[in-house]
Amino acid sequence: MEQLLYVLPALACPVGMGAMMWFMMRPKPGAQPDPGAEQQELLRLRKEIDALRTERTPQGGIQDHPA
């Protein structure tokens, strides 16, 4: 019985973390994914990448990178 008291605190963290992950991964009731939101995010990220590439290269040209 005394050994059980030593094991319980050691198991509390992994069990609690697993329970939190399970609750967070469950879909929320009534939540419907927005199909247009994914496309909008993809376009926004592509524009951001293009802006960063333009900012990084001299005169906005394409710069070759070593492979």
Side-chain angles (χ1 to χ4, degrees):
M1 187 61 164
E2 285 182 31
Q3 291 178 348
L4 182 63
L5 293 176
Y6 291 119
V7 173
L8 283 179
L11 291 177
C13 183
V15 170
M17 185 65 71
M20 282 189 280
M21 288 173 55
W22 182 72
F23 279 114
M24 291 176 71
M25 289 185 347
R26 289 181 13 177
K28 295 178 180 41
Q32 296 293 325
D34 184 12
E38 203 170 286
Q39 288 294 326
Q40 289 175 352
E41 179 70 8
L42 184 59
L43 287 173
R44 186 189 67 79
L45 290 172
R46 285 182 176 161
K47 287 179 185 178
E48 184 177 345
I49 289 171
D50 289 341
L52 289 171
R53 283 183 179 157
T54 302
E55 179 182 302
R56 186 173 162 209
T57 58
Q59 292 93 24
I62 297 175
Q63 185 178 29
D64 291 331
H65 296 285

